[in-house]
Amino acid sequence: MDHFTYKNGELYAEDLPVATIAKEVGTPCYIYSTATLERHYKVFSGAFDGSNALVCFAVKANSNLAVLKTLANLGAGADVVSGGELQRALAAGIPASKIVFSGVGKRPWEMETALKAGIHQFNVESEPEIRVLSEVASRLGMEAPVAFRVNPDVDAKTHAKISTGKAENKFGVPWQDVSRIYREAAALPGIKIQGVDVHIGSQLTDLDPFNNAFKRVRELVEDLRREGHDITQVDLGGGLGIPYDGTIPPSPASYGAVAIEAMGNMGVQLIFEPGRLIVGNAGILVSEVIYVKQGAERKFIILDAAMNDLIRPAMYDGYHHIDTILEPSSESIRELADVVGPVCETGDTFARGRELPPVEAGDLVAFRSAGAYGAVMASTYNTRPLVPEVLVNKDQFEVIRKRPSLDEMLELDTIPTWLDNGK
Ligand SMILES: *Cc1c(COP(=O)(O)O)cnc(C)c1O
């Protein structure tokens, strides 16, 4: 459920016509809905009412400070994967005690910042990493609270590029080494073993892989406890999918039931790291049709948004539903077209052979479900300014990241002195 709906014949974001925002901010632009963010967070966290659970929003899905602050106000924690994301989460008012730090390549300065901030947990992904963390913590006279991310070797049955829980993936410590790694880590100075972490992939639309992974983790916790480790935290990661193309994923409630069935009576604090589920359907990308071009074999709708603004279709074959901002009448014919951007890459194609109502130059369209892994993955390829972001709250909106000017972009480059010729 989201708050982007047709009213009076045009698409609204909550109580505001999308066209009004697009006119003021320009296109392309991302528009997020506060009510949708809040609803999704509450539905997810509500699945764990009465359980000892900490919901840590996966900041990499959407790291805008205004989005983070909206979630912080609801009590969300954060799952961060870099020193930069840690700084964002703290700046948005998420308490360090609700922040977990994931990622395979943490550097000493990032560990130091996180230790000094007093984060809840490091999700450690390798033996070299735990040795560096031990050194950093010892040097500071501190103790790092640690869970190892384990690789349960389960198939998440999702796109290969967002599958993370198979033995062949770079994530987590190998299942057969877990026992030894915990034993050795427990003996290291500056390390406090407290948990187990697992995250098997993203956009999962089936509960079986979660169920398999969570049951394996349960057995692991029992084994580790027998081996003398005081496991009080179990981080079950993120990954629950959203409906992009009509496939309806399991509800947070049924996902929660699977987690609680596996772990509920273990006497641990459960940690969840949902990203896409919270922000995905809370955002749209609005774009203007530049040209409609009849090619030799097919029709192309050329938009002012491109792969640099929304890379999911090019990178993951991601599907986004595309709506016209004007509500099509039920009788209006549909035409097949390829929807593309202006970037000089064949990969800059949002949809092939998509059925759409007739559009012409100057019309606005909206990519639905663009709130997760959209703006955060944007680049300036083709010297296209980073796409701006807007947050709507009922009948108000504000720009929460502005579009940089071309001058601002060019100012980041410098001409070396030997090319400058004193001019
Ligand atoms: C990406 C990621 C998440 C969030 O995944 P979603 O599919 O967006 O819920 C959670 N935890 C870790 C470790 C991740 O890398």
Side-chain angles (χ1 to χ4, degrees):
M1 234 263 355
D2 61 57
H3 291 76
F4 299 99
T5 49
Y6 287 115
K7 289 182 228 175
N8 316 320
E10 60 177 319
L11 191 68
Y12 271 62
E14 302 194 15
D15 301 335
L16 284 174
V18 167
T20 306
I21 301 170
K23 194 160 172 222
E24 198 164 317
V25 178
T27 55
C29 66
Y30 279 94
I31 300 178
Y32 308 131
S33 151
T34 300
T36 314
L37 283 172
E38 291 180 345
R39 185 188 139 79
H40 287 175
Y41 180 80
K42 285 179 189 161
V43 167
F44 189 87
S45 59
F48 305 100
D49 273 351
S51 315
N52 180 10
L54 175 61
V55 178
C56 294
F57 171 64
V59 172
K60 77 177 196 280
N62 188 319
S63 60
N64 189 289
L65 286 175
V67 169
L68 298 181
K69 180 115 186 104
T70 302
L71 297 172
N73 288 350
L74 298 173
D79 168 41
V80 301
V81 293
S82 69
E85 285 191 356
L86 174 61
Q87 193 167 337
R88 280 181 178 274
L90 293 170
I94 296 175
S97 60
K98 291 184 182 175
I99 296 177
V100 298
F101 191 172
S102 304
V104 295
K106 301 179 196 77
R107 285 166 297 171
W109 74 265
E110 296 176 303
M111 295 172 173
E112 180 168 340
T113 314
L115 278 165
K116 286 181 174 161
I119 66 164
H120 181 67
Q121 180 164 292
F122 289 85
N123 289 335
V124 174
E125 302 223 14
S126 67
E127 294 178 77
E129 181 188 334
I130 194 75
R131 287 195 289 271
V132 173
L133 183 57
S134 166
E135 281 164 26
V136 173
S138 308
R139 174 163 54 75
L140 297 171
M142 301 181 82
E143 205 168 50
V146 164
F148 277 98
R149 175 166 175 184
V150 296
N151 186 321
D153 194 19
V154 298
D155 186 350
K157 301 198 193 99
T158 182
H159 192 281
K161 285 189 184 158
I162 47 176
S163 205
T164 58
K166 288 283 285 170
E168 72 213 37
N169 297 131
K170 71 177 176 182
F171 298 99
V173 297
W175 196 260
Q176 65 275 13
D177 299 337
V178 168
S179 171
R180 176 185 58 77
I181 289 174
Y182 269 83
R183 188 174 64 246
E184 291 175 5
L188 289 173
I191 297 296
K192 175 177 160 254
I193 297 291
Q194 65 175 30
V196 175
D197 166 45
V198 72
H199 171 74
I200 57 174
S202 197
Q203 187 51 20
L204 272 71
T205 52
D206 182 355
L207 287 177
D208 288 345
F210 285 123
N211 199 14
N212 295 338
F214 296 173
K215 292 214 163 110
R216 294 207 81 182
V217 169
R218 180 195 175 93
E219 286 167 23
L220 181 63
V221 171
E222 287 166 346
D223 289 348
L224 290 171
R225 281 179 170 168
R226 267 194 296 277
E227 290 162 17
H229 302 288
D230 184 16
I231 304 297
T232 61
Q233 308 291 317
V234 173
D235 184 335
L236 296 176
L240 186 56
I242 64 169
Y244 282 106
D245 61 358
T247 312
I248 305 292
S251 67
S254 49
Y255 165 85
V258 166
I260 289 168
E261 192 201 316
M263 292 292 166
N265 58 356
M266 296 291 282
V268 291
Q269 177 170 47
L270 291 178
I271 301 170
F272 295 93
E273 304 169 345
R276 190 188 309 272
L277 184 91
I278 308 292
V279 288
N281 289 333
I284 60 174
L285 171 64
V286 183
S287 178
E288 183 177 318
V289 176
I290 308 177
Y291 298 115
V292 178
K293 160 171 159 178
Q294 188 58 58
E297 290 176 1
R298 45 180 75 210
K299 195 169 88 173
F300 296 98
I301 296 174
I302 303 169
L303 302 179
D304 68 355
M307 63 189 291
N308 70 296
D309 304 308
L310 176 64
I311 206 174
R312 293 191 63 260
M315 188 147 121
Y316 310 125
D317 308 314
Y319 176 95
H320 289 271
H321 189 75
I322 301 170
D323 275 327
T324 51
I325 298 299
L326 290 180
E327 184 172 17
S329 72
S330 50
E331 307 93 74
S332 87
I333 39 159
R334 299 289 192 271
E335 297 174 351
L336 289 188
D338 284 13
V339 183
V340 303
V343 160
C344 299
E345 297 275 347
T346 302
D348 186 21
T349 297
F350 292 114
R352 291 200 168 75
R354 183 68 64 88
E355 248 183 38
L356 288 170
V359 294
E360 39 184 87
D363 286 355
L364 294 175
V365 298
F367 290 87
R368 307 299 296 262
S369 314
Y373 307 107
V376 279
M377 286 187 160
S379 76
T380 57
Y381 189 36
N382 281 208
T383 306
R384 293 168 50 84
L386 273 188
V387 55
E389 296 169 280
V390 170
L391 184 63
V392 172
N393 184 17
K394 302 192 182 78
D395 60 356
Q396 311 175 63
F397 79 91
E398 276 188 36
V399 174
I400 56 173
R401 182 177 78 191
K402 77 175 184 82
R403 191 192 313 276
S405 71
L406 292 176
D407 285 342
E408 284 167 332
M409 291 175 70
L410 265 57
E411 269 167 20
L412 296 174
D413 295 9
T414 19
I415 307 282
T417 45
W418 66 85
L419 289 176
D420 211 2
N421 294 336
K423 272 187 274 167

